[in-house]
Tab-separated table of all heavy atoms in Angstrom:
chain	number	residue	atom	x	y	z
A	1	GLY	N	0.665	-3.290	1.693
A	1	GLY	CA	-0.119	-2.087	1.448
A	1	GLY	C	-0.438	-1.281	2.691
A	1	GLY	O	-0.928	-0.152	2.596
A	2	SER	N	-0.181	-1.830	3.866
A	2	SER	CA	-0.500	-1.113	5.099
A	2	SER	C	0.712	-0.410	5.687
A	2	SER	O	0.669	0.060	6.818
A	2	SER	CB	-1.064	-2.089	6.148
A	2	SER	OG	-0.057	-2.975	6.609
A	3	VAL	N	1.792	-0.322	4.919
A	3	VAL	CA	3.014	0.308	5.425
A	3	VAL	C	2.751	1.776	5.731
A	3	VAL	O	1.792	2.364	5.229
A	3	VAL	CB	4.156	0.192	4.387
A	3	VAL	CG1	4.532	-1.254	4.160
A	3	VAL	CG2	3.752	0.859	3.077
A	4	PRO	N	3.603	2.385	6.566
A	4	PRO	CA	3.402	3.788	6.904
A	4	PRO	C	3.258	4.680	5.672
A	4	PRO	O	3.847	4.422	4.626
A	4	PRO	CB	4.674	4.133	7.686
A	4	PRO	CG	5.068	2.834	8.319
A	4	PRO	CD	4.726	1.789	7.289
A	5	PHE	N	2.461	5.716	5.810
A	5	PHE	CA	2.162	6.695	4.775
A	5	PHE	C	1.293	6.138	3.652
A	5	PHE	O	1.204	6.723	2.584
A	5	PHE	CB	3.440	7.316	4.186
A	5	PHE	CG	4.296	7.979	5.212
A	5	PHE	CD1	5.556	7.510	5.505
A	5	PHE	CD2	3.818	9.067	5.921
A	5	PHE	CE1	6.333	8.118	6.470
A	5	PHE	CE2	4.595	9.683	6.891
A	5	PHE	CZ	5.850	9.200	7.163
A	6	ASN	N	0.615	4.997	3.900
A	6	ASN	CA	-0.297	4.472	2.898
A	6	ASN	C	-1.462	5.427	2.673
A	6	ASN	O	-2.113	5.387	1.643
A	6	ASN	CB	-0.825	3.105	3.351
A	6	ASN	CG	-1.572	2.383	2.254
A	6	ASN	OD1	-1.172	2.440	1.102
A	6	ASN	ND2	-2.658	1.726	2.604
A	7	GLY	N	-1.726	6.281	3.651
A	7	GLY	CA	-2.826	7.228	3.505
A	7	GLY	C	-2.401	8.534	2.850
A	7	GLY	O	-3.142	9.506	2.903
A	8	PHE	N	-1.206	8.571	2.249
A	8	PHE	CA	-0.707	9.783	1.625
A	8	PHE	C	-0.490	9.570	0.127
A	8	PHE	O	-0.405	8.453	-0.351
A	8	PHE	CB	0.617	10.203	2.263
A	8	PHE	CG	0.461	10.654	3.682
A	8	PHE	CD1	0.310	9.746	4.705
A	8	PHE	CD2	0.456	12.001	3.995
A	8	PHE	CE1	0.150	10.159	6.010
A	8	PHE	CE2	0.303	12.426	5.301
A	8	PHE	CZ	0.150	11.504	6.302
A	9	GLN	N	-0.393	10.682	-0.567
A	9	GLN	CA	-0.080	10.657	-1.990
A	9	GLN	C	1.250	11.371	-2.218
A	9	GLN	O	1.592	12.303	-1.487
A	9	GLN	CB	-1.181	11.371	-2.783
A	9	GLN	CG	-2.551	10.757	-2.643
A	9	GLN	CD	-2.674	9.459	-3.414
A	9	GLN	OE1	-1.824	9.134	-4.231
A	9	GLN	NE2	-3.731	8.717	-3.147
A	10	ARG	N	1.969	10.924	-3.263
A	10	ARG	CA	3.178	11.648	-3.660
A	10	ARG	C	2.772	12.818	-4.552
A	10	ARG	O	1.937	12.681	-5.436
A	10	ARG	CB	4.141	10.733	-4.407
A	10	ARG	CG	4.781	9.691	-3.504
A	10	ARG	CD	5.907	8.952	-4.206
A	10	ARG	NE	6.500	7.966	-3.313
A	10	ARG	CZ	7.434	8.239	-2.427
A	10	ARG	NH1	7.904	9.471	-2.320
A	10	ARG	NH2	7.920	7.303	-1.644
A	11	TYR	N	3.366	13.962	-4.291
A	11	TYR	CA	3.055	15.159	-5.067
A	11	TYR	C	4.362	15.702	-5.641
A	11	TYR	O	5.355	15.853	-4.933
A	11	TYR	CB	2.399	16.218	-4.178
A	11	TYR	CG	2.216	17.553	-4.851
A	11	TYR	CD1	1.135	17.782	-5.690
A	11	TYR	CD2	3.145	18.580	-4.652
A	11	TYR	CE1	0.967	19.009	-6.306
A	11	TYR	CE2	2.982	19.809	-5.273
A	11	TYR	CZ	1.894	20.009	-6.107
A	11	TYR	OH	1.734	21.205	-6.718
A	12	GLN	N	4.354	15.982	-6.962
A	12	GLN	CA	5.554	16.498	-7.627
A	12	GLN	C	5.539	18.022	-7.580
A	12	GLN	O	4.584	18.666	-8.033
A	12	GLN	CB	5.613	16.010	-9.081
A	12	GLN	CG	6.954	16.276	-9.742
A	12	GLN	CD	7.048	15.595	-11.096
A	12	GLN	OE1	6.100	15.616	-11.882
A	12	GLN	NE2	8.183	14.972	-11.371
A	13	VAL	N	6.598	18.570	-7.018
A	13	VAL	CA	6.686	20.017	-6.828
A	13	VAL	C	6.769	20.725	-8.175
A	13	VAL	O	7.525	20.331	-9.068
A	13	VAL	CB	7.917	20.373	-5.965
A	13	VAL	CG1	8.070	21.889	-5.833
A	13	VAL	CG2	7.785	19.731	-4.585
A	14	ARG	N	5.939	21.788	-8.317
A	14	ARG	CA	5.903	22.576	-9.541
A	14	ARG	C	6.429	23.981	-9.282
A	14	ARG	O	6.606	24.398	-8.139
A	14	ARG	CB	4.463	22.630	-10.073
A	14	ARG	CG	3.867	21.273	-10.392
A	14	ARG	CD	2.537	21.448	-11.124
A	14	ARG	NE	1.516	21.991	-10.233
A	14	ARG	CZ	0.478	21.296	-9.793
A	14	ARG	NH1	0.341	20.034	-10.129
A	14	ARG	NH2	-0.411	21.866	-9.011
A	15	ARG	N	6.621	24.720	-10.361
A	15	ARG	CA	7.107	26.094	-10.259
A	15	ARG	C	6.120	26.916	-9.415
A	15	ARG	O	4.899	26.852	-9.621
A	15	ARG	CB	7.256	26.706	-11.641
A	15	ARG	CG	7.860	28.130	-11.631
A	15	ARG	CD	7.978	28.674	-13.039
A	15	ARG	NE	8.825	27.823	-13.857
A	15	ARG	CZ	10.150	27.872	-13.895
A	15	ARG	NH1	10.794	28.743	-13.113
A	15	ARG	NH2	10.842	27.063	-14.679
A	16	GLY	N	6.638	27.674	-8.473
A	16	GLY	CA	5.803	28.519	-7.629
A	16	GLY	C	5.363	27.859	-6.336
A	16	GLY	O	4.811	28.535	-5.458
A	17	ASP	N	5.574	26.558	-6.196
A	17	ASP	CA	5.172	25.874	-4.965
A	17	ASP	C	6.080	26.271	-3.807
A	17	ASP	O	7.306	26.377	-3.953
A	17	ASP	CB	5.247	24.352	-5.149
A	17	ASP	CG	4.027	23.792	-5.864
A	17	ASP	OD1	2.976	24.475	-5.863
A	17	ASP	OD2	4.113	22.675	-6.409
A	18	THR	N	5.482	26.492	-2.662
A	18	THR	CA	6.195	26.711	-1.407
A	18	THR	C	5.512	25.853	-0.351
A	18	THR	O	4.402	25.341	-0.560
A	18	THR	CB	6.145	28.181	-0.970
A	18	THR	OG1	4.772	28.543	-0.711
A	18	THR	CG2	6.716	29.098	-2.046
A	19	TRP	N	6.143	25.716	0.809
A	19	TRP	CA	5.512	24.958	1.880
A	19	TRP	C	4.197	25.609	2.286
A	19	TRP	O	3.206	24.928	2.567
A	19	TRP	CB	6.444	24.863	3.091
A	19	TRP	CG	7.581	23.900	2.915
A	19	TRP	CD1	8.905	24.207	2.849
A	19	TRP	CD2	7.489	22.479	2.779
A	19	TRP	NE1	9.655	23.068	2.676
A	19	TRP	CE2	8.804	21.987	2.634
A	19	TRP	CE3	6.445	21.575	2.763
A	19	TRP	CZ2	9.089	20.637	2.477
A	19	TRP	CZ3	6.712	20.224	2.604
A	19	TRP	CH2	8.015	19.767	2.466
A	20	SER	N	4.166	26.941	2.295
A	20	SER	CA	2.932	27.636	2.669
A	20	SER	C	1.835	27.391	1.644
A	20	SER	O	0.663	27.194	1.994
A	20	SER	CB	3.189	29.139	2.798
A	20	SER	OG	4.070	29.407	3.866
A	21	ALA	N	2.214	27.403	0.358
A	21	ALA	CA	1.221	27.153	-0.683
A	21	ALA	C	0.671	25.737	-0.589
A	21	ALA	O	-0.542	25.508	-0.747
A	21	ALA	CB	1.841	27.397	-2.066
A	22	LEU	N	1.554	24.763	-0.328
A	22	LEU	CA	1.103	23.380	-0.178
A	22	LEU	C	0.227	23.231	1.059
A	22	LEU	O	-0.767	22.484	1.047
A	22	LEU	CB	2.304	22.433	-0.098
A	22	LEU	CG	3.171	22.319	-1.359
A	22	LEU	CD1	4.312	21.333	-1.120
A	22	LEU	CD2	2.336	21.874	-2.550
A	23	ALA	N	0.602	23.909	2.133
A	23	ALA	CA	-0.197	23.841	3.365
A	23	ALA	C	-1.616	24.339	3.106
A	23	ALA	O	-2.595	23.751	3.572
A	23	ALA	CB	0.458	24.659	4.470
A	24	SER	N	-1.738	25.434	2.352
A	24	SER	CA	-3.064	25.966	2.038
A	24	SER	C	-3.819	25.039	1.107
A	24	SER	O	-5.011	24.780	1.299
A	24	SER	CB	-2.909	27.352	1.399
A	24	SER	OG	-4.168	27.862	1.019
A	25	ARG	N	-3.139	24.478	0.108
A	25	ARG	CA	-3.802	23.626	-0.880
A	25	ARG	C	-4.318	22.332	-0.264
A	25	ARG	O	-5.415	21.874	-0.603
A	25	ARG	CB	-2.821	23.299	-2.016
A	25	ARG	CG	-3.439	22.502	-3.171
A	25	ARG	CD	-2.406	22.269	-4.249
A	25	ARG	NE	-1.757	23.510	-4.649
A	25	ARG	CZ	-0.649	23.562	-5.384
A	25	ARG	NH1	-0.061	22.455	-5.783
A	25	ARG	NH2	-0.118	24.730	-5.708
A	26	PHE	N	-3.543	21.768	0.671
A	26	PHE	CA	-3.940	20.482	1.251
A	26	PHE	C	-4.487	20.621	2.672
A	26	PHE	O	-4.647	19.628	3.373
A	26	PHE	CB	-2.742	19.518	1.236
A	26	PHE	CG	-2.303	19.137	-0.155
A	26	PHE	CD1	-1.217	19.758	-0.741
A	26	PHE	CD2	-3.009	18.200	-0.880
A	26	PHE	CE1	-0.818	19.430	-2.028
A	26	PHE	CE2	-2.620	17.861	-2.168
A	26	PHE	CZ	-1.523	18.489	-2.750
A	27	ASP	N	-4.767	21.874	3.083
A	27	ASP	CA	-5.384	22.135	4.384
A	27	ASP	C	-4.624	21.455	5.519
A	27	ASP	O	-5.182	20.745	6.354
A	27	ASP	CB	-6.846	21.667	4.382
A	27	ASP	CG	-7.601	22.142	5.619
A	27	ASP	OD1	-7.205	23.167	6.195
A	27	ASP	OD2	-8.576	21.475	6.008
A	28	THR	N	-3.302	21.632	5.508
A	28	THR	CA	-2.421	20.973	6.463
A	28	THR	C	-1.381	21.978	6.961
A	28	THR	O	-0.787	22.685	6.153
A	28	THR	CB	-1.687	19.785	5.801
A	28	THR	OG1	-2.640	18.933	5.183
A	28	THR	CG2	-0.899	18.986	6.820
A	29	PRO	N	-1.154	22.089	8.277
A	29	PRO	CA	-0.149	23.026	8.781
A	29	PRO	C	1.234	22.767	8.187
A	29	PRO	O	1.604	21.616	7.910
A	29	PRO	CB	-0.150	22.766	10.290
A	29	PRO	CG	-1.513	22.208	10.568
A	29	PRO	CD	-1.862	21.397	9.358
A	30	VAL	N	2.002	23.842	8.004
A	30	VAL	CA	3.334	23.725	7.413
A	30	VAL	C	4.216	22.776	8.214
A	30	VAL	O	4.924	21.929	7.648
A	30	VAL	CB	4.004	25.118	7.309
A	30	VAL	CG1	5.484	24.977	6.934
A	30	VAL	CG2	3.285	25.981	6.280
A	31	ASP	N	4.182	22.900	9.566
A	31	ASP	CA	5.061	22.044	10.379
A	31	ASP	C	4.693	20.574	10.247
A	31	ASP	O	5.555	19.697	10.338
A	31	ASP	CB	5.032	22.476	11.842
A	31	ASP	CG	3.668	22.344	12.473
A	31	ASP	OD1	2.667	22.457	11.747
A	31	ASP	OD2	3.599	22.124	13.695
A	32	VAL	N	3.406	20.294	10.007
A	32	VAL	CA	2.989	18.905	9.806
A	32	VAL	C	3.533	18.377	8.483
A	32	VAL	O	4.066	17.265	8.410
A	32	VAL	CB	1.450	18.774	9.852
A	32	VAL	CG1	1.015	17.351	9.487
A	32	VAL	CG2	0.927	19.139	11.227
A	33	LEU	N	3.405	19.166	7.417
A	33	LEU	CA	3.947	18.755	6.122
A	33	LEU	C	5.451	18.499	6.206
A	33	LEU	O	5.968	17.524	5.652
A	33	LEU	CB	3.667	19.826	5.073
A	33	LEU	CG	2.254	19.889	4.486
A	33	LEU	CD1	2.143	21.050	3.521
A	33	LEU	CD2	1.885	18.583	3.804
A	34	LYS	N	6.154	19.385	6.921
A	34	LYS	CA	7.600	19.205	7.043
A	34	LYS	C	7.938	17.956	7.845
A	34	LYS	O	8.892	17.231	7.519
A	34	LYS	CB	8.219	20.439	7.701
A	34	LYS	CG	8.287	21.656	6.794
A	34	LYS	CD	9.037	22.797	7.480
A	34	LYS	CE	9.228	23.962	6.538
A	34	LYS	NZ	9.984	25.073	7.180
A	35	ARG	N	7.155	17.690	8.898
A	35	ARG	CA	7.430	16.504	9.699
A	35	ARG	C	7.192	15.232	8.897
A	35	ARG	O	7.941	14.254	9.009
A	35	ARG	CB	6.564	16.517	10.960
A	35	ARG	CG	6.939	15.409	11.948
A	35	ARG	CD	6.391	15.679	13.341
A	35	ARG	NE	4.945	15.543	13.395
A	35	ARG	CZ	4.100	16.549	13.596
A	35	ARG	NH1	4.559	17.783	13.738
A	35	ARG	NH2	2.799	16.354	13.651
A	36	ILE	N	6.118	15.225	8.081
A	36	ILE	CA	5.835	14.077	7.223
A	36	ILE	C	7.028	13.786	6.318
A	36	ILE	O	7.399	12.632	6.095
A	36	ILE	CB	4.592	14.343	6.359
A	36	ILE	CG1	3.332	14.395	7.222
A	36	ILE	CG2	4.428	13.277	5.281
A	36	ILE	CD1	2.120	14.889	6.480
A	37	ASN	N	7.635	14.857	5.808
A	37	ASN	CA	8.715	14.707	4.833
A	37	ASN	C	10.105	14.832	5.438
A	37	ASN	O	11.098	14.915	4.705
A	37	ASN	CB	8.535	15.750	3.721
A	37	ASN	CG	7.322	15.470	2.863
A	37	ASN	OD1	7.374	14.642	1.961
A	37	ASN	ND2	6.211	16.140	3.142
A	38	ASN	N	10.178	14.839	6.789
A	38	ASN	CA	11.463	14.893	7.491
A	38	ASN	C	12.299	16.079	7.019
A	38	ASN	O	13.486	15.959	6.737
A	38	ASN	CB	12.234	13.580	7.296
A	38	ASN	CG	13.379	13.434	8.286
A	38	ASN	OD1	13.352	13.994	9.382
A	38	ASN	ND2	14.407	12.702	7.903
A	39	ARG	N	11.676	17.247	6.945
A	39	ARG	CA	12.355	18.460	6.499
A	39	ARG	C	12.440	19.463	7.646
A	39	ARG	O	11.526	19.557	8.462
A	39	ARG	CB	11.592	19.110	5.338
A	39	ARG	CG	11.468	18.239	4.098
A	39	ARG	CD	12.815	18.064	3.396
A	39	ARG	NE	12.641	17.366	2.134
A	39	ARG	CZ	12.364	17.966	0.982
A	39	ARG	NH1	12.247	19.278	0.935
A	39	ARG	NH2	12.220	17.263	-0.119
A	40	THR	N	13.527	20.214	7.643
A	40	THR	CA	13.677	21.290	8.625
A	40	THR	C	13.868	22.639	7.954
A	40	THR	O	13.717	23.675	8.591
A	40	THR	CB	14.884	21.019	9.548
A	40	THR	OG1	16.068	20.877	8.744
A	40	THR	CG2	14.658	19.760	10.376
A	41	ASN	N	14.219	22.641	6.647
A	41	ASN	CA	14.425	23.914	5.945
A	41	ASN	C	13.228	24.219	5.061
A	41	ASN	O	12.282	23.448	4.962
A	41	ASN	CB	15.721	23.882	5.112
A	41	ASN	CG	15.719	22.743	4.096
A	41	ASN	OD1	14.704	22.469	3.450
A	41	ASN	ND2	16.859	22.069	3.952
């Protein structure tokens, strides 16, 4: 239970979601969200 990302939740992307929208909803910078998810695009 202590494996990496234990402090995170999985979120299922819905219609209209963007990285900016998620950043605003979860109060987290876009680049941080992308780094968490190993995304560059």
